[in-house]
Structure formats: structure tokens, C-alpha cells
Amino acid sequence: MVQRQSGIESAFRAAPIVTGARHALRNAAMFAAVTALLVVSAATPSFARKRKNPDFGIQDELVVTNSGALLVGTIQTYAAFSNGNVAPIAVIKGAEGSIPAFDVFNVPAEDVLSGVAVNPNGIETEGPAGPVVANSIWVASDLSLLSPGTDAVAGFAPGSTGASDPIAFMITLPAVPSVEYPGNPLSIPEGLAFIPSGSNDLVPGEEAGAAGDFYVTNLTGGTDEAGSVLEYPPDAGSASAINGVAFPYFTIDDNNCTAPQVTDLFGPVGIALDGDNDLWVANSGDGKGAPDSYVIAYAAGANGCPVPIDAVGIGVLQEAEYDAISPVDGSIWVSDLLANAVYQFSALGSVETEIHGKRTRLKSPMGIAMNATGDLYVANNERNQILMFESASTGGLLNVKPFIVVQGRKTGLHQPVGVALAAGVPAFPVPPTATPTGTPSSTPTSTPTETP
């Protein structure tokens, strides 16, 4: 058993908690069947009228990815606020068992898909003068069952369907010291998060926490296989990447620590950024007997072996999966696979709301996301559902029926895992208006006629 020792342990931790489920899933074919992804989207007029909210005009997209093993891994897009047994309007599916256009790497699509995120920033796909793609869909995949030691992160253009080529793609690559190539240490990637960027800030970040960079959590890797957090520049894995950039600029893991200091990463899965770009990482634990599960925070721009600045959920969470920061009040939401619950923690770390009970239908909840009005989306993994709880931040125990349930054969849901929201961002970016180069002609000013 790996036992973590640090300031977090002595200052925050309660009694050890058994979290064996993820370890069992991760090391058997069942884990591959347990993973899928999702991203959520826009209101219909009828739904807006039902809610009687005149400001509810946010456009969100619902994108779901299915795990492989029993099925071919897919990424599915649904119409806004789909409810019930509805079919997806687009499906991204690998050709002949491989991720599109990358057969040369022998990377199968029929494997474990995990986290998903929508990149609100642009990435250039054809060099400095190329088109900028915003609102792209990014997924993490553990390909180890069919390609041992190989994992992947891929980005797809919005609106992709069929055997679509990814616009960015990275796989696990070993370091090559002889040519100073640092490699790409992907090791069961799970969560993704993007640092907000201005429309003109597309230069790869040269400092930790640079605008436009993105983070990926590794469930394993690093000292004692405790996991890591990788930070990549905006164009990592894309055709415009400088020198084919496919490795992280910065890494948080225990390899950067000097004993007895540790990062307190312990099977990291979810990652979310708050309004200050601080990193909130949901740690599932290693599931080998008695590790705790919790959410820890690092200051914006953290790298190497940073000391956590906050911790929540210690003594409460049994096996944390994914987390989200509420855009309404900045509170922290965390799904708990073993407890069949979703918790809201205040900034002080106390439990504000607990969504739990038979009426909620929660069974092994995984990915979560919250929209601008406080509605919470949950990937209900074991029951092949997407649930939405309206205005979830009510305080206390919330044992209520979900407001929306997406389920049924038409949906194609197969153990969904990740959930992300693309709120208020158009599916396809509007090209900038060209500025005329000629000198505008002057317009004569007419003298108004005097009114008698």
C-alpha cells in the first residue's frame, strides 16, 4: 500500500478510506467498459419557456464519448438539452479500429475513453497564417488494453462527424536523452482543463500557467505511481506545433520532489480551474487498501513539486472522480463513484449540498459540469445515463429526481464518463471582418433647412 506523507496528511486527513473500485476497474477489462465521455449544450425555446427564464439563451453543446472494449470508442454529439431516448446528431468514429489518420501508430479506438473538455481558445492548425479553431473537442484515452504502454489525447474540430481527422493528437512517447527529446509521459490520462486565452494570445506558453495552455491529469506515473499533472502549450500535437511539439512544457509530480515533500497527488482524475486559474485536482486514491480521496488545489502556474494551497473532501469523499467549479458562486463540486453521490464544497471546505439517494438515480457518477445558471450535469456511468439537476446548489441533502434524463437505445450511451459544457461559445467561430485598405471617401455634410 502506498501511504502519502505530507502537510496535507497531518493537517487535514481523517481516518483512511478504502477506495478499491477504481483500482479494480483500472486493471481489468471492466475498466475499459466503464469509460465514456461527454460535453453538454444549448437550450431549446420550449425548454426556456418551461423554465420561465428570459435570460436562458445560452448555447451549449452536448457531446458524449463511449468507451471501447465492448464497443468501438466513439464521440457523440446531441442536440441542445436533449431529453429521453434521443439519437445523436453526429458521431466521430475511428476507421478500421484506429483513431482516424493515425493507423501508422497502430492506436486502436476501441479502448478506454475518459475525460473530455471543450477548448474555448483557438489553436492554429496550419501554421501562423492558418485558420484558428475555437470550441474544439478534446478527449483523453487509455489505450493500454490493446496497445500496452500507449495512451493518447486528441482534439477534434467542432461539428466533426464520421471518420474525422483530429486537428491535434498526442501519444505516449519515451524520452530520448541523446537528442534531448523529453518525450511525452502520458500514463492513463483522465482529466483536461484549458487556461482561458485572449483571441490574439496563441503563442505557445513559455511560462507555467501561460494563457492558452492546457492541463492533463495522469492517473498513474511519477514516484510510487501516484500520478501527475502535465501542462502543454496551446498547439501541442497540432500540425502547427513548433518542431512538432508533442510533450509537456511543465510537469507536477513527485519526481520533482525532495523527500519528505510530496505533491499530494494520489490517483488524480478530474481537474478544474477557478477564476484565479488555481488548479483543483480530484484525487481518487490508488484503491489498494486504505488511501484517502480528496481534492487539492495548487496556485496558478504551479509546476515541479508545489505545496498545495487548499484541500477539501478529506474524510468525506470515498472515491473522487471528476470536479467542477461553479460559475455561479465559485464553489467546488465533486462526484464520488463509491458513494453514488455528488458533493458541493464551500470555499472553506464544508459540505454545502449532497446530491444522494434513490430518487437521484445516481449509480457510479463520474463526469460532472455546471452551466452558467447553476444546473448540474452528471455522467451516470453504471446506468448509461446523463442526468441534469436543475439549480443544484440548494444546500443540505438533495434526494430529488433529475430534471433531465438522457437514456435509451437511441442515445448510444455506453457507460459515459466525462462531461463538459461549452457555454455561450458558437459551434463554429465567426471569421473576423476584413478592414478596407483604401482611404474612405469623405461624405459631404448637408446643412439642415431652417424650419419656418
Side-chain angles (χ1 to χ4, degrees), residues 31 34 193:
F31 181 55
V34 147

Side-chain angles (χ1 to χ4, degrees), residues 39-54:
V39 181
V40 192
S41 145
T44 61
S46 60
F47 190 79
R49 286 195 298 270
K50 182 175 181 179
R51 299 184 61 178
K52 297 180 181 180
N53 188 342

Side-chain angles (χ1 to χ4, degrees), residues 415-431:
Q415 295 180 306
V417 172
V419 180
L421 286 161
V425 181
F428 293 92
V430 178

Side-chain angles (χ1 to χ4, degrees), residues 43-105:
T44 61
S46 60
F47 190 79
R49 286 195 298 270
K50 182 175 181 179
R51 299 184 61 178
K52 297 180 181 180
N53 188 342
D55 297 325
F56 198 77
I58 297 173
Q59 295 297 310
D60 300 325
E61 285 195 336
L62 173 61
V63 180
V64 181
T65 65
N66 284 305
S67 66
L70 300 182
L71 296 177
V72 174
T74 59
I75 306 169
Q76 302 180 182
T77 301
Y78 296 84
F81 281 92
S82 295
N83 195 2
N85 187 13
V86 295
I89 58 176
V91 178
I92 302 174
K93 183 177 180 179
E96 299 180 357
S98 296
I99 290 178
F102 287 94
D103 291 8
V104 65
F105 291 115

Side-chain angles (χ1 to χ4, degrees), residues 112-211:
V112 180
L113 293 176
S114 46
V116 63
V118 171
N119 182 0
N121 310 318
I123 85 166
E124 294 182 0
T125 59
E126 295 178 6
V132 174
V133 179
N135 209 29
S136 52
I137 300 166
W138 289 68
V139 298
S141 179
D142 166 22
L143 303 166
S144 60
L145 291 181
L146 297 181
S147 293
T150 302
D151 301 308
V153 172
F156 293 87
S160 295
T161 190
S164 299
D165 291 346
I167 58 175
F169 184 79
M170 301 183 295
I171 61 173
T172 305
L173 294 171
V176 184
S178 61
V179 294
E180 298 183 354
Y181 183 79
N184 193 22
L186 288 172
S187 180
I188 310 186
E190 292 279 346
L192 304 102
F194 290 84
I195 302 174
S197 169
S199 59
N200 295 321
D201 187 4
L202 300 175
V203 178
E206 296 180 357
E207 297 180 1

Side-chain angles (χ1 to χ4, degrees), residues 2 73 155 178 206 213 221 232 254 413 442 446:
V2 179
S178 61
E206 296 180 357
D213 284 7
Y232 293 90
D254 288 350
L413 288 171
S442 59
S446 59

